[in-house]
Structures are given as C-alpha cells and as structure tokens.
Amino acid sequence: MADRSHISEHADKPVSRSWRSWLLRVVFWFTGLILAGALGVSFVVLTALAVAYPNLPDISELQDYRPKLPLRVFSSEGILIGEFGEERREFTPISTIPKLMKDAVLAAEDARFYDHNGVDFKSMVRAGYANLNRLKSQGASTITMQVARNAYLTSEKTITRKVYEVLLTFKLEQLLSKDQIFEIYLNQVFLGKRAYGFAAASEAYFAKPLTDISIAQAAMLAGLPKAPGANNPVNNSARARERQLYVIDRMQENGFITPEQAAQARQEELHLRDAPNPVRLHAEYVAEAVRQLIYAQYGDATYARGLKVYTSISADDQSAAYRALRDGIMGYERSQTYRGPEGFVALPDDPKARTDAIDDALAAHPDYGDLIAAVVLAASAREVIAVRANGETLHVIGDGLRPAQSGLADKAPRNIMIRRGAIVRLAKTPKDLWGLAQLPEVEGAFVAMDPRDGAIKAMVGGFDFNRNKFNHVTQAWRQPGSSFKPFIYSAALEKGFTPATVVNDAPLYFDAATTGGQPWAPKNYGGTFSGPVPLRTALMKSINMVTLRVAQSIGIRYAQDWITNFGFDRDKHPAYLPMAIGAGAVTPMQMATAYSVFANGGYRVNPYLITRITDHKDKILVEPQPPLLNETMRVIPQRNAFIMDTLLQSVVRGGTGAKAYQAFKRDDIYGKTGTTNDSIDTWFAGFQPTMTAIAWMGYDTPRSLGDKETGSSLSLPIWISFMETAIKGVPVAELQVPEGVVHVGGEWYYDDYAPGTGLGYPGGMSEPTPAEAEPSTRPDLSSDERNRILDMFRN
C-alpha cells in the first residue's frame, strides 16, 4: 500500500507540470496573436492613413468661409419681403450670435466641444455602451466632425467614409480655431425649410432675428440638426416638442440655464411663422419683379452673392393694398353663385387612416393666405364641422354658412353638395368667426406710386402669388374704358375746348371706315341721353357720346399723338374713335404713370422700385438717386394739368367717383372710374398729390363681371380702403393756380380762351365733322359769326 501511494504521488507530478506548460504555451500564443493582430491592425491603419491623408480635400478655403448667400429683398423700412436661392442663408459672424443660441447648440450637439481635439472618445465610449445595450440610440459625432462631413463628405455609412471623417476632423482642428469651426457650423448646418444656419432658421420658423429669440425658441432650433425633417415643428410638432424638451434639459444639466429658466422655457408656447399670419408683409409680386430685374443684371450670381436689394415699397402701404384688393375680390366673390367643393375624399372609420386620407387630400389644396382649405367631417343646414391640415377642427354656423347655402340644401346636386369628405374653403368673417368661402375666379391688381418722383409704394399683382404668378400690374393689357377719357379731354384743352364748352349728348352712328372694324352705334351707360351738356358735367357723368364728339372734333390722330405724352403705347391705341372711350389696351402700371402727370403738375416720372443694392456685408453697390422734377420732364402744360385736376376733382365730388369724397371729406382727392362694355373690366384711377393709386378688377379670360358692376361698385371701394391708410395724417393740399388760367363765372379757362377773349376752337357740334376738314389753329371770327356758330352747336 505504501509503495502504491508512493508511485501514485510521483505519477501526479508530470501531469501537473504538463498542464502548466500547456497553459503557458496557450497564453504565450494568445498573447502573440493579440500582439500580431494589433500590429497588423496598426499596420493596416497606418497604411490606410498614409494612403488616405494625401487624398483629403483641401480645406484651406474654410479659413475664409464664404457660403452661397441668397438674394434678399427688403421694403424701404428694411422688412424682408423676399428671398431667392437654393438655400436660405444669412451669414452671421460668431461674435454676433447670441450666447443663448450657442449654448443651446453645444448642449444639444457637443457639450465638450471646447475641451476635446475634434474626436470625443469619452462620448464615443458612452454612445457605444448605450447602443450595445439597446438603450436609447446615441451618436458621437462632434461639431467638428459634422463640419467635416457636411462640407466635404457624403452621408453614407461606411468604414471608409468614417475614416475620412476622422482624418478631416483632425485636419480641421489643426487648421482652424474652435471659434472658426463653430462659426462655420452655426452658418452651414441644414435646419429644414430650405434654411441653412441658425440665423436663417430663426427667420424661417419664427420670423424674427436670432438676437430676439427666447430660450424655448433656441432649444427648438438647436434640436433640428439631428433630424431637420422629423424634428421640424412644421412637419411634426410632437417630435419637435420632444426634442426641444431634451435640449432644455441638457442646457440645465450643463449649467447654461438655471432650473427656473428651464421651467419657464418648458411652459412657453411657441408661435411659428405661418402664411395666414396677419403681421406678415405680403409683397410676393414685388419680390419677384425685383428678382427679374437683378437677374437681368447679375445672371446666376444673383442667387449666390448675398445681394440685398432695398425697394421703395412702404410696409404700411403694401399691407393696406394687399388687404384692400383681397377684401374687394372676396366681397365680389361672396355675391357669386356657390360653385361647390373643390373635391371629395373618402374618409375611413379608422382614425389613423382617416388622418392620412385628409393629409393626402389637402396636400393638393394648399392654403392661400387667410383662405384656408379643410375637409368636412359633418355637414347640415345648421352647422359644418371641418378639419384643417394641421389637425385643427373648425365649426361654421350662422352667417358663416350663407355664402354656400345652396351647397347645404337637401336637394343640392352632388357636385356642389357640402357633405362628409368635401374639400371646402374657409375664411374669417368680419365678426372673427369661420365662414364658408370659395377660391375666387376673378382677378385684380393694385399699384400705388408717389407722383413726385415715381417711387412705387405698393404693388399687388393679383389675388394670391402662390396661386397665380402672373403680375396683372405690369403684364395685364386690358381696356381702360372710361378711365381713359381724361387724356382725351386733356388733348381737347389744347384745341380750344374748356370745361364750360357745351357738347350735345345725342345718339351717334359710325361706319366701319370710321371705327376700323364693325359699324358701331355707341351707347351711354344706362342707355339714356342728356342733350347739350358742358364738358365738366360730361366727365362727371362719364358720358360716352360727348367724349366721342370731342375726339372727332380734335382729330383722332391728334389724340393718339397726345396720349403718348403720358406714357401710353401708340400701337396699343389705334387711331379710331373707340380709342377715345378706352377701347385700347393699357396696364395698371401705365395708368399709374399717366395719372401721375396730372397729379404732379404736368411732369412724366418713370416708376421705380429699387432704391439701393448692397453686398452681404452691406457695402453699397448701387444707389440711384430719385429724379427731381424739372422742365425737361414736362409733357403737358401746367395749366392743362391744373384744369384737368379741377375736372377730376368734380368727378370725385359729385360724379361717378363721389364715394371717394364721401369717404374722406377732403378737397385734394381726384380720380375717374372706368367700366368697359359688358362690365368686363372695372377701374378706379385716382390720386392725392402725394399718392397715385390704380385699382382694376376683371377675369383673366375676359367675361362680364355682371350687368350692374362698375368701376364705382367694384374698384373704387378697393381704392378707398387703401387710401385710408396711405393719406392718413397727410395735410390737405390746396390746388395751386398756375399762370395762364383765369376764373370767370365760376369756371376755369385758359386765359387766351376765356369768355370775352375770342371763341377759341369750337367745343361741340350736333354731328361730328371729319377731322381732316377742321382747322388746326383757332379761327379769328367776328362777334356775329361766333354767336351764330355757338347757336348751331347748341342745337
């Protein structure tokens, strides 16, 4: 037994030594493999770095960072009214970016930015641990890494791209200071809504400069870089809110804000910039006109140089014009037959499916300013319930149902019936309640300019730019109707006519040779005739027959020549008699230019829009000086303009434009209504010595506005609404009597045509006389001959 124990004891020793030896060998080989692997990886990495580093892009240009900056258009007060370029961007030096905004970004993206060398290994370990343990996914990209990626690399997720990103990060940290890198990031990062950089995003989302934002707004903006589409408060308010609260928490954790500030920021309600915002300045047609002018000068550089263009537009006047035209068009539209919903959509019972169906349907029916689109959830003769694209549910009751009453009738045709799934329009009523409406088919235009220098103060080219970009102010050639008559009367003054000249208002007939077209038997509005009337009364009442007789008397070719003094195109007004009562073609801008000649005493000033152009650093590139009125600009005698002003004053005080005087009760208001045949176009053209304004309404495809619609009923109210703002507080300007006119028997005359100084060229006749047979100078008649001719004209 002892021997066996001895043998067994000695037999275990080789086994123990063998095991230890084997274990040592395993450890040795394992260690060797690790070292070999490490060396191999190091070799591969070093080789990759050696190969990749020389191929890195040149980043020296970032030392003088110059991003593409859009064209920006401003009102005369500096209010932004338009921005053009692929990217909304406003380069802002880091020194002018509020600390609040910088702190919010650091808290959200890279709190240790100023402590690491571009790659935050501590954050990488933390993010890796969170991702491996399936905690909330975290990223580890530093601000420097994001600048490298955004400036030079794609967003693909590959090892190669990541290597280049790290290398570029180190290179950026060597080349630039931390503030330079941060400045690039704050100006370069995409934040949704075409906005690049936080200054542009602040304008895009909150319509305010970056210096004015609150903690809550800064946190919302700082939450956007992670997912500018998903976290966008316009696209997804819930996710944007979640991200905002995260940033507020991080700002508090990092000591950027106090707990009290954080609590207040969480409670703050954010108001996003929205199209229906009544504070927003709508000047889209102005901005587009400027864009075209600048592009003609600078070409494609227009959208990259950061040019700033300041215009003559007055914000108050532009807002007044926008409201006046829209109110005028919608007022007319409310009197029209309801044409029915814009479409219909099937609404599933499932809430999520129903929401998706509504979103899809309204995507094709955007809001147009304060005229919003909604899908009907329920409808009856007493109430309509509808939902907007943003999920807001609206109720329409009472007077708000009236404009679409025919669509709520039980027996309404299916195509106009308002029922569940109908896509309708809603607008606020004067009582600030929701009412049913419809997109107008009619269009309009409004333009206002300072007649003293040509500065355009307001321009609205149509009902809504996003719906119809055709600028009716500058592009629509329309018949001016009776608003053109003053220019014929102005020509007649130079041929011896006076405001007191009596002309017979009686039926006329013209053959084809006279009209240049079909035989023509013109009529007055209303179909009545007044017999012999003085010119002043004829213009006040807008009598067609008198104007035609005057034009025939002075010669239609002479009239055609005369109107070119006011800026009208000769070829748009053929030398045939219908021209005299507005059968030619004009644009509202031409009418503004022409009426300004009367307003400023006989000078023609060209309208202008641009007052200053600067670069992105506000260095002035172009600054044209407004023209000063001088005799080289005179196109009609001062006395002609004066007497025409008195005639246009009479139109407003007691004629077709009397609503204007009733509205203002001031003597320095002048103007003329215009209505074409079948009420296809309606106008009011008028002025106060500091402001000329033109209002037009009509259909793009000409058709009647209605038998009873006139310039007085449709266009004049628009003009009045605008002028209530434009001349508020402006002192009444008295009409200054120039040399060459006299006041006799309550009427104004040229001094050489006044009663007792000779007849002057006869101002009327019972039947028109061919212009070629008329003398070109004032005849020298005896007293008996003068009386005999006057008696004949009065017959």
Side-chain angles (χ1 to χ4, degrees), residues 493-734:
L493 293 179
E494 298 304 302
K495 285 290 190 175
F497 283 79
T498 75
T501 301
V502 176
V503 180
N504 193 20
D505 173 24
L508 288 170
Y509 174 81
F510 300 98
D511 59 23
T514 305
T515 64
Q518 299 296 319
W520 181 40
K523 297 178 181 178
N524 292 323
Y525 182 78
T528 61
F529 302 95
S530 304
V533 294
L535 286 192
R536 184 174 295 276
T537 301
L539 190 61
M540 287 172 60
K541 295 183 177 181
S542 198
I543 299 175
N544 288 339
M545 301 305 157
V546 171
T547 306
L548 291 169
R549 280 189 163 87
V550 169
Q552 183 74 359
S553 298
I554 65 174
I556 198 63
R557 292 196 180 278
Y558 173 76
Q560 185 191 41
D561 290 339
W562 184 259
I563 65 170
T564 61
N565 293 325
F566 298 89
F568 294 117
D569 298 340
R570 178 191 298 271
D571 60 347
K572 298 288 187 180
H573 302 271
Y576 297 101
L577 277 178
M579 178 198 79
I581 56 175
V586 301
T587 66
M589 184 67 81
Q590 281 189 333
M591 292 292 277
T593 303
Y595 270 81
S596 290
V597 175
F598 295 140
N600 63 30
Y603 303 96
R604 182 168 146 198
V605 293
N606 293 320
Y608 70 88
L609 194 56
I610 296 175
T611 60
R612 186 170 79 256
I613 303 175
T614 73
D615 64 13
H616 69 284
K617 295 182 178 180
D618 295 324
K619 178 183 177 182
I620 295 176
L621 303 178
V622 179
E623 190 172 23
Q625 296 302 311
L628 298 176
L629 297 180
N630 60 77
E631 288 304 307
T632 64
M633 302 163 66
R634 180 172 294 284
V635 290
I636 64 172
Q638 187 177 7
R639 64 179 186 174
N640 186 297
F642 171 81
I643 289 183
M644 287 306 306
D645 287 350
T646 70
L647 292 172
L648 293 170
Q649 186 182 56
S650 294
V651 173
V652 171
R653 296 202 65 171
T656 57
K659 290 179 183 177
Y661 185 76
Q662 294 166 8
F664 297 108
K665 297 294 192 296
R666 50 190 292 168
D667 293 329
D668 59 345
I669 299 293
Y670 313 85
K672 181 71 183 74
T673 54
T675 310
T676 63
N677 284 347
D678 299 322
S679 297
I680 289 175
D681 296 275
T682 68
W683 298 77
F684 188 80
F687 58 88
Q688 190 272 346
T690 64
M691 187 73 73
T692 302
I694 311 296
W696 166 84
M697 192 182 294
Y699 289 99
D700 278 340
T701 301
R703 60 187 173 94
S704 177
L705 291 161
D707 294 340
K708 296 182 179 180
E709 303 296 357
T710 65
S712 178
S713 66
L714 293 183
S715 296
L716 179 53
I718 297 171
W719 190 90
I720 291 172
S721 177
F722 167 79
M723 292 296 274
E724 286 174 347
T725 295
I727 63 174
K728 184 178 181 180
V730 176
V732 175
E734 293 188 10

Side-chain angles (χ1 to χ4, degrees), residues 248-480:
I248 292 173
D249 290 342
R250 292 283 293 152
M251 292 178 74
Q252 181 182 344
E253 291 171 12
N254 285 277
F256 294 139
I257 57 176
T258 66
E260 292 76 19
Q261 289 176 314
Q264 183 178 358
R266 294 186 190 99
Q267 296 299 318
E268 181 179 329
E269 182 180 355
L270 297 186
H271 299 282
L272 298 177
R273 179 175 188 161
D274 193 21
N277 184 354
V279 178
R280 179 185 173 192
L281 180 60
H282 287 275
E284 294 87 351
Y285 289 99
V286 174
E288 173 59 17
V290 169
R291 184 199 68 79
Q292 294 179 19
L293 292 171
I294 298 300
Y295 187 82
Q297 179 69 29
Y298 294 98
D300 291 338
T302 296
Y303 311 117
R305 291 184 55 177
L307 297 175
K308 298 180 181 179
V309 182
Y310 295 85
T311 68
S312 56
I313 293 295
S314 159
D316 288 344
D317 292 338
Q318 180 67 26
S319 293
Y322 176 81
R323 289 194 308 270
L325 184 64
R326 283 182 74 94
D327 288 349
I329 289 176
M330 288 307 298
Y332 171 79
E333 195 60 48
R334 281 191 289 271
S335 68
Q336 304 304 296
T337 302
Y338 184 62
R339 294 184 292 274
E342 295 176 25
F344 298 90
V345 58
L347 297 181
D349 293 330
D350 178 66
K352 186 180 185 307
R354 181 169 62 247
T355 299
D356 291 343
I358 290 171
D359 289 344
D360 292 342
L362 293 181
H365 297 267
D367 294 346
Y368 291 111
D370 52 5
L371 196 60
I372 68 166
V375 173
V376 174
L377 300 179
S380 70
R382 300 174 64 87
E383 182 181 26
V384 170
I385 302 173
V387 60
R388 297 183 62 179
N390 63 5
E392 181 182 6
T393 300
L394 307 176
H395 297 258
V396 184
I397 59 175
D399 290 343
L401 301 170
R402 188 169 298 170
Q405 199 67 51
S406 60
L408 294 169
D410 292 337
K411 296 183 179 180
R414 293 288 291 175
N415 63 319
I416 71 165
M417 179 179 286
I418 299 175
R419 60 185 189 274
R420 180 177 170 84
I423 301 171
V424 297
R425 290 285 161 178
L426 302 176
K428 281 295 185 70
T429 67
K431 295 181 180 180
D432 201 32
L433 299 174
W434 287 108
L436 290 167
Q438 60 185 347
L439 284 175
E441 293 183 340
V442 72
E443 271 292 359
F446 191 92
V447 61
M449 63 181 277
D450 189 332
R452 297 166 295 183
D453 62 5
I456 299 173
K457 294 299 183 180
M459 181 170 71
V460 187
F463 177 76
D464 193 287
F465 179 80
N466 293 318
R467 185 180 180 215
N468 185 354
K469 293 177 172 54
F470 183 81
N471 190 338
H472 296 83
V473 168
T474 58
Q475 296 176 283
W477 291 93
R478 308 294 296 214
Q479 289 189 337

